[in-house]
Amino acid sequence: MRLIYFSLKDIARRPTENILVLVGISFAVAAIFILSSLRLGITNTLYESAVKKNPLSQITIRSGGSSFLKLLESKQKTLGESDIEEIKKNPAVRIIAPHMLYQNLASVELELMDQTLQTDSLIFGISKETIEDDLPAGIAWKDPSDGSPVPVLISRKLIDFYNFSLASSAGLPQLDEDSFKDKTIKILPGYSSFFSANGEIKKVLEGRIVGFSDKVDLIGATIPIETVEILNAEEGRAQKSFNKLFVTLDSPASVDLVTQELEEKGYRVTSLQREFKEVSRSLKYVEIIIFVLSGIILVSSILLIGNSIWMTLLRRTKELGIMRAIGATRGSLYLIFFIEAVITGFIGGIIGTLIGKASTFIFQKLLANQITLASVSIEDLFASTWSFSGWLLLVSVALSILASGIPIFIICKKEPRMLFIK
Amino acid sequence: MLTLSGISKNFVSGRKKISALYDISLKIDEGEFVALTGPSGSGKSTLLHIMGGLDKPTHGEVVFQDKNLQKMNDKQLSEVRNSSIGFVFQDDLLLPHFTLFENVALPLMFAGRRVDEIEIKRILHEVGLEKHLNHKPFELSGGQKQRACVARAIVMNPVLVLADEPTGNLDTKTGCEIINLFKELHSRHKMAFVIATHDAQIAEAAQRTIHIIDGKI
């Protein structure tokens, strides 16, 4: 207790030097906090975005092979009813929701910003199981037999993509979900607005944008699968031919095994877990950069703080000499400065974490939605956890001990007499 | 109580070897009052530091209370300096951020002993500083600071007090007061005093004078 009292007195008597050390520690901690929060924020956003798209227990089977070579070998292969029957045999499979592409050129037309916009578009058909969570109450996801508009879903990310990739650079007004909600949309199957000279509008299918989803394709309009089946059939295309099957398994733990089994049968399987592993692999580079930057910050701080403490100690060698002369062991001097370093590191760590937290809050406000990575706009650019803050506090204390420990060790190692010689 | 046998001390300054002490042998008995005199640079301070275990001799041995100081580790040596030897230096070496009371109590803190407030006040009274116990060193005169150093040197009731030019930075009147204080303490506590000095008055007051020139006695 007396040594703690001694250390506190020692800290209090040198406010300027300690403030400088505290500033050094705080800024190092704040910089590491910001860098690490950035890494966690990006990882979380990509993960959440992926989870929104596909649940962890879902795999996607695409037409074609399981590798580029297999894709070449079996590029004609399509997914059909027999594949659904085959996949259903696996006991871990719970739901199979097919995804179908309208296999011809198509355009859509809608009124937007008092303009009639006509553009070529892909038309996708998906079954209700895939998107039922995103459907507003009372909306039936099926082909309307009574001539009412076809329900249409568009990707939520398409609005973000338009706002940040097109509108911002072209000076166009920003759009939100309300700009599209309940809008009437005209689907023009078999007609291309780009190649209009070569064709004419044969059919107009009236649709209504009923909602938004993260599970539908980014570019294009998504409608009930039955409607796409009818359109394909009307044009004599292969019926019941799917380009994707969304397969929900009994649990996320089954994903790896089922993926392996289906790949062995020649299916091309993707899963969120696998995608996430790939994203994590890419993020490793970001992590390495952050690790190196944090290392540079730490080493620079240790050198700067160590130098400041070294200068302080050089001015105080006589005091250390007195303490040695009146009975202080090297150990008790180490302990006094160790306590000082722990206190300084702890306070610096708290201040640094608060600075880091405040800075990330400001950066978040300034940069949210301004950054796009892998077509995902990073809304929560920074993220931190309490346990990380705790670790950072330990890093801060360790930094302080390391920075002050070396000069203290060198000075205290001297014979007491040497401490009286400036 | 303290025996020095064949003590030599060499320093290295750049490529030059400087011999500060040559083959010094002496004895200090319990309760003795010894003056160590000699011109500046003669080796008085070096000898005093070796006597007190603040420095190690290049050759020879120092036996204090039947124990060889060279064979002690840092902890044992610190314990001897803490409990059995008191130091007074030329400069008033007090810790500036501590009060007089705290400065005097420091050896007790390093010994891990309880700080007896009454005892500290008694010692401060003995050196004439009872009214200043809550003052910081910068609030005191040179003489008062040196008295405080004396109080700190005797607080553990050591058997030996080593003083290195204790009046060197004081005016004549204050120097006399400090010499009188040493005399009083010597007669009251029966501690041995070894005082390195240029001051003829101290040399006169001492029971024995050891004269040192160019590192030899």
Side-chain angles (χ1 to χ4, degrees):
Chain A
M1 279 309 285
R2 283 187 199 143
L3 288 181
I4 293 173
Y5 171 73
F6 193 99
S7 302
L8 285 172
K9 273 234 162 192
D10 210 35
I11 291 171
R13 65 179 276 234
R14 295 177 286 117
T16 316
E17 286 150 7
N18 280 311
I19 285 170
L20 282 175
V21 171
L22 276 178
V23 167
I25 295 174
S26 305
F27 274 89
V29 168
I32 295 169
F33 184 92
I34 293 166
L35 286 172
S36 304
S37 302
L38 181 64
R39 187 198 67 85
L40 191 62
I42 291 172
T43 312
N44 283 357
T45 307
L46 289 176
Y47 182 78
E48 277 164 19
S49 149
V51 171
K52 262 193 246 167
K53 235 163 91 182
N54 294 307
L56 277 172
S57 59
Q58 186 179 290
I59 59 173
T60 306
I61 300 169
R62 294 165 196 277
S63 53
S66 59
S67 68
F68 184 66
L69 205 60
K70 284 186 182 173
L71 185 67
L72 285 177
E73 284 169 359
S74 57
K75 60 185 173 186
Q76 297 303 320
K77 181 175 178 178
T78 54
L79 294 164
E81 293 284 5
S82 59
D83 294 298
I84 292 178
E85 291 309 314
E86 177 66 29
I87 294 159
K88 258 186 194 165
K89 285 179 192 165
N90 194 308
V93 172
R94 291 285 171 271
I95 303 164
I96 300 176
H99 175 284
M100 190 182 270
L101 175 68
Y102 169 60
Q103 294 169 9
N104 197 358
L105 293 171
S107 287
V108 293
E109 191 181 295
L110 78 158
E111 297 285 326
L112 207 60
M113 295 176 280
D114 301 324
Q115 303 262 340
T116 302
L117 180 76
Q118 196 183 69
T119 179
D120 274 22
S121 175
L122 293 169
I123 307 296
F124 301 104
I126 59 174
S127 56
K128 190 183 173 186
E129 294 92 332
T130 314
I131 42 79
E132 61 187 346
D133 295 344
D134 296 325
L135 278 182
I139 298 292
W141 189 255
K142 59 178 187 182
D143 184 62
S145 49
D146 56 358
S148 57
V150 178
V152 177
L153 279 178
I154 60 172
S155 168
R156 207 168 261 131
K157 294 292 169 198
L158 181 65
I159 305 171
D160 295 339
F161 182 74
Y162 161 81
N163 282 337
F164 300 109
S165 302
L166 299 173
S168 299
S169 55
L172 295 168
Q174 299 275 306
L175 298 175
D176 55 19
E177 289 185 5
D178 289 339
S179 316
F180 292 91
K181 189 83 196 282
D182 291 327
K183 282 257 179 204
T184 301
I185 179 170
K186 281 181 186 166
I187 299 169
L188 313 173
Y191 173 77
S192 164
S193 54
F194 289 133
F195 307 108
S196 52
N198 299 328
E200 57 184 34
I201 297 170
K202 295 164 195 152
K203 181 175 181 174
V204 176
L205 197 66
E206 195 165 291
R208 186 166 71 90
I209 298 172
V210 294
F212 308 88
S213 174
D214 290 302
K215 293 166 193 152
V216 300
D217 296 81
L218 179 69
I219 307 290
T222 301
I223 59 176
I225 194 163
E226 299 87 349
T227 311
V228 176
E229 262 184 77
I230 293 166
L231 290 175
N232 280 336
E234 281 173 359
E235 295 185 14
R237 311 266 172 192
Q239 287 192 30
K240 296 286 182 187
S241 169
F242 313 111
N243 68 325
K244 276 190 265 185
L245 294 172
F246 297 118
V247 181
T248 307
L249 305 177
D250 55 354
S251 88
S254 306
V255 167
D256 280 343
L257 190 66
V258 176
T259 300
Q260 195 186 339
E261 284 174 11
L262 291 174
E263 280 182 343
E264 280 166 8
K265 287 179 182 170
Y267 289 105
R268 190 171 153 229
V269 186
T270 58
S271 68
L272 170 66
Q273 292 187 22
R274 184 179 283 178
E275 275 174 30
F276 197 68
K277 274 178 200 162
E278 278 160 21
V279 170
S280 301
R281 210 173 296 135
S282 311
L283 279 176
K284 276 272 175 272
Y285 294 106
V286 178
E287 279 180 3
I288 289 167
I289 293 167
I290 285 171
F291 183 77
V292 169
L293 284 176
S294 303
I296 292 169
I297 292 164
L298 274 178
V299 171
S300 322
S301 308
I302 287 171
L303 293 175
L304 285 170
I305 296 164
N307 183 56
S308 164
I309 288 170
W310 178 253
M311 299 310 287
T312 307
L313 284 174
L314 284 183
R315 280 202 300 276
R316 299 177 60 200
T317 49
K318 272 198 176 183
E319 281 178 35
L320 300 176
I322 303 167
M323 291 197 259
R324 295 285 277 136
I326 61 175
T329 58
R330 282 197 183 101
S332 47
L333 289 189
Y334 292 148
L335 194 59
I336 287 168
F337 289 107
F338 176 79
I339 294 168
E340 280 190 40
V342 169
I343 293 169
T344 315
F346 189 76
I347 296 170
I350 290 173
I351 296 171
T353 308
L354 292 176
I355 293 173
K357 198 91 184 156
S359 308
T360 53
F361 179 77
I362 293 165
F363 291 150
Q364 180 72 51
K365 290 276 168 209
L366 294 175
L367 298 173
N369 289 321
Q370 302 283 325
I371 295 171
T372 303
L373 191 68
S375 80
V376 177
S377 92
I378 310 292
E379 287 152 11
D380 295 316
L381 195 56
F382 299 96
S384 61
T385 58
W386 284 110
S387 63
F388 175 68
S389 301
W391 276 109
L392 209 53
L393 215 54
L394 285 180
V395 168
S396 168
V397 171
L399 164 72
S400 176
I401 291 171
L402 210 62
S404 55
I406 297 165
I408 287 159
F409 183 77
I410 294 169
I411 295 278
C412 294
K413 197 88 183 125
K414 291 184 177 184
E415 285 298 319
R417 186 192 70 84
M418 297 303 288
L419 297 170
F420 291 103
I421 301 166
K422 278 267 178 184
Chain B
M1 179 190 62
L2 178 70
T3 308
L4 278 73
S5 315
I7 296 295
S8 299
K9 179 72 185 179
N10 303 326
F11 296 111
V12 178
S13 173
R15 288 182 182 177
K16 225 172 146 187
K17 191 176 116 182
I18 299 162
S19 296
L21 299 173
Y22 294 96
D23 194 25
I24 288 179
S25 297
L26 59 86
K27 262 187 165 185
I28 307 291
D29 291 325
E30 276 180 31
E32 248 196 313
F33 196 105
V34 179
L36 189 62
T37 61
S40 291
S42 58
K44 298 189 296 294
S45 295
T46 306
L47 186 60
L48 220 58
H49 287 150
I50 288 173
M51 283 179 177
L54 289 175
D55 202 2
K56 287 176 181 163
T58 312
H59 300 291
E61 61 179 31
V62 183
V63 177
F64 179 72
Q65 293 185 314
D66 302 325
K67 284 172 195 154
N68 190 333
L69 294 189
Q70 276 79 60
K71 289 182 180 163
M72 289 184 178
N73 61 25
D74 180 66
K75 199 178 170 196
Q76 291 164 328
L77 213 51
S78 299
E79 209 173 290
V80 168
R81 286 196 297 262
N82 178 257
S83 60
S84 306
I85 302 173
F87 289 92
V88 179
F89 298 95
Q90 182 175 7
D91 300 317
D92 41 61
L93 294 177
L94 295 165
L95 299 190
H97 52 299
F98 285 92
T99 63
L100 221 54
F101 180 92
E102 288 167 336
N103 262 292
V104 173
L106 274 178
L108 293 164
M109 188 191 90
F110 288 123
R113 273 169 50 179
R114 192 179 67 85
V115 174
D116 184 345
E117 205 171 313
I118 296 165
E119 180 63 10
I120 305 278
K121 282 179 180 169
R122 188 192 62 73
I123 289 166
L124 281 169
H125 175 77
E126 207 169 345
V127 297
L129 291 172
E130 68 276 14
K131 289 178 186 164
H132 302 280
L133 63 144
N134 288 322
H135 287 177
K136 296 268 176 79
F138 69 87
E139 296 171 302
L140 304 174
S141 69
Q144 285 171 325
K145 281 191 259 190
Q146 200 58 298
R147 281 167 181 274
C149 289
V150 174
R152 188 181 61 195
I154 62 167
V155 71
M156 296 293 286
N157 202 21
V159 291
L160 173 66
V161 175
L162 301 170
D164 188 5
E165 304 272 10
T167 60
N169 285 345
L170 302 175
D171 59 63
T172 316
K173 186 174 168 267
T174 316
C176 279
E177 285 169 12
I178 294 293
I179 294 160
N180 290 334
L181 178 64
F182 279 132
K183 280 191 210 165
E184 275 172 43
L185 292 172
H186 176 250
S187 60
R188 206 178 298 148
H189 296 286
K190 301 295 176 206
M191 296 163 179
F193 279 78
V194 178
I195 304 170
T197 184
H198 284 113
D199 195 325
Q201 266 188 298
I202 296 181
E204 280 168 25
Q207 293 165 339
R208 180 157 65 106
T209 300
I210 299 169
H211 195 64
I212 182 165
I213 298 173
D214 295 334
K216 294 173 191 167
I217 53 172

